[in-house]
Amino acid sequence: MPFHKIVLAGGNGYLGGVLAAYYSPLAEEVVLLSRSKAPTRGNIRTVVWDATREGAWAAELRNADLLVNLCGKNVNCRYTRKNRQAILRSRVRPTALLGRVIRRLTHPPALWINVTSATIYRHAEDRPQDEAHGELGKGFSVDICRSWERVFFAAETPGVRKVALRMGIVFGAEDGVFPRLQKLVSWGLGGPQGNGRQYVSWIHETDAARVTEWLLHHPEMEGAINCTAPYPVTNEEQMRIIRGGHWGLPAPAWLLSIGARLIGTETELILKSRWVLPTRLENAGFVFKYAHLEDAVAEIRI
């Protein structure tokens, strides 16, 4: 096997499951740091931590080929004061804790990836945003991402390569955004959302996992890296592709606002235009398996 140990902090969520399944045949062991116990599945085992203080779990980081930090409260909620504090705390505190632990290890992870978000860039309908020419946005979500990355890069971890992976919306069959959009389509509600012109920067779950492995093999890559497919689409295009030619009722912004309040979420998650390109990955030679949304949706539906 090419790898000894892969550690996924906060790895009991959707993307953690994707990464665990991906690395299971590639590594001797995959370790999930989780707040709750779970049975061992083959070479995937769970170690309990509370993400706030050092404990026996710290030993799991020794000699790891890769640490991926996936910690963070789901942002699919109302941005009340309590939720805002929880969203920030659930990202910054585990990141700072991991940095303190890694600094003291004699054999720390070779690569530490912090999965952040492509929403760090501004609302963009005029031109795409990338690592070199992108403009950071304003507002709560952007402030969270900036604080998150600031703590990550400020951690003193000599000898550890660090990548802030600015992840787009992950598409997969089992969980995440796609099943929810598919359900809207099945109800006849799969038309454009808002004016439909806002961009969606997405990535197929397989490519999201492939990027992390590719980074392991490319030691020259570090810093902030966009993890999105090279061909983002508008919301209108996204919904048309998912509908597969069927009609869908449009949802204007005012209706989305009412619906968001009823289900306890924020319209920003739908209406913000995230036009983000993976320039650094492509320039360094990474080839996406699913570059076009049509191909990604077709694979998910198989």
Side-chain angles (χ1 to χ4, degrees), residues 75-79 83 258-266 269:
V75 297
N76 189 14
C77 61
R78 296 297 293 177
Y79 291 164
N83 283 338
I258 295 173
R261 286 185 174 275
L262 290 175
I263 65 175
T265 189
E266 295 284 344
L269 301 175

Side-chain angles (χ1 to χ4, degrees), residues 116 120 144-154 164 166 224:
T116 62
I120 195 169
I144 292 293
C145 291
R146 295 177 80 153
S147 298
W148 200 0
E149 291 192 5
R150 189 182 309 118
V151 169
F152 175 59
F153 287 119
R166 294 172 174 173

Side-chain angles (χ1 to χ4, degrees), residues 224-239:
I225 296 175
N226 294 339
C227 188
T228 61
Y231 298 104
V233 295
T234 64
N235 174 269
E236 184 175 16
E237 291 173 306
Q238 171 192 257
M239 298 313 298

Side-chain angles (χ1 to χ4, degrees), residues 8-20 32-34 41 70 72 175-176:
L8 307 175
N12 57 333
Y14 164 54
L15 188 54
V18 169
L19 292 173
L32 278 60
L33 301 183
S34 172
R41 294 173 288 121
L70 300 153
D175 203 345

Side-chain angles (χ1 to χ4, degrees), residues 7-294:
V7 180
L8 307 175
N12 57 333
Y14 164 54
L15 188 54
V18 169
L19 292 173
Y22 181 85
Y23 279 108
S24 181
L26 301 178
E28 294 175 15
E29 58 178 338
V30 178
V31 178
L32 278 60
L33 301 183
S34 172
R35 293 178 182 272
S36 55
K37 295 181 180 179
T40 297
R41 294 173 288 121
N43 64 343
I44 302 173
R45 59 186 176 88
T46 297
V47 174
V48 176
W49 77 328
D50 67 3
T52 63
R53 62 178 66 87
E54 187 172 347
W57 60 266
E60 300 295 342
L61 302 186
R62 290 197 192 100
N63 296 306
D65 299 277
L66 171 64
L67 165 65
V68 183
N69 178 20
L70 300 153
C71 293
K73 172 181 167 58
N74 196 318
V75 297
N76 189 14
C77 61
R78 296 297 293 177
Y79 291 164
T80 63
R81 181 178 179 182
K82 180 180 178 181
N83 283 338
R84 286 171 183 257
Q85 291 174 343
I87 289 169
L88 177 62
R89 188 166 54 244
S90 66
R91 286 160 172 74
V92 169
R93 286 188 177 179
T95 301
L97 174 62
L98 289 169
R100 292 195 300 271
V101 168
I102 290 171
R103 184 172 63 238
R104 295 197 296 270
L105 290 179
T106 53
H107 299 285
L111 172 61
W112 176 10
I113 293 177
N114 227 42
V115 176
T116 62
S117 174
T119 200
I120 195 169
Y121 298 103
R122 67 170 173 84
H123 178 101
E125 295 182 22
D126 54 336
R127 66 175 180 83
Q129 310 289 299
D130 68 6
E131 300 92 343
H133 304 103
E135 299 168 350
L136 302 190
K138 297 179 181 179
F140 171 68
S141 296
V142 172
D143 291 343
I144 292 293
C145 291
R146 295 177 80 153
S147 298
W148 200 0
E149 291 192 5
R150 189 182 309 118
V151 169
F152 175 59
F153 287 119
E156 297 179 10
T157 54
V160 178
R161 183 162 54 100
K162 295 194 290 187
V163 170
L165 203 57
R166 294 172 174 173
M167 189 76 69
I169 296 173
V170 181
F171 273 65
E174 297 302 320
D175 203 345
V177 171
F178 182 81
R180 291 162 175 80
L181 294 177
Q182 185 67 56
K183 185 172 290 187
L184 285 178
V185 168
S186 70
W187 293 340
L189 302 174
Q193 297 160 326
N195 62 25
R197 293 193 296 269
Q198 69 272 29
Y199 275 86
V200 179
S201 287
W202 61 276
I203 186 167
H204 189 284
E205 62 182 19
T206 297
D207 278 333
R210 289 179 62 241
V211 165
T212 65
E213 184 193 359
W214 186 88
L215 288 169
L216 273 166
H217 296 297
H218 288 78
E220 74 280 6
M221 299 293 287
E222 59 183 350
I225 296 175
N226 294 339
C227 188
T228 61
Y231 298 104
V233 295
T234 64
N235 174 269
E236 184 175 16
E237 291 173 306
Q238 171 192 257
M239 298 313 298
R240 176 183 56 78
I241 291 168
I242 295 175
R243 289 198 311 270
H246 300 289
W247 181 83
L249 183 68
W254 65 266
L255 183 59
L256 287 174
S257 179
I258 295 173
R261 286 185 174 275
L262 290 175
I263 65 175
T265 189
E266 295 284 344
T267 57
E268 177 199 4
L269 301 175
I270 298 172
L271 298 180
K272 179 175 179 179
S273 185
R274 299 169 177 85
W275 190 355
V276 181
L277 297 182
T279 301
R280 289 194 64 193
L281 284 175
E282 289 203 297
N283 286 350
F286 181 81
V287 178
F288 287 83
K289 186 174 182 180
Y290 301 101
H292 298 274
L293 187 59
E294 291 89 345

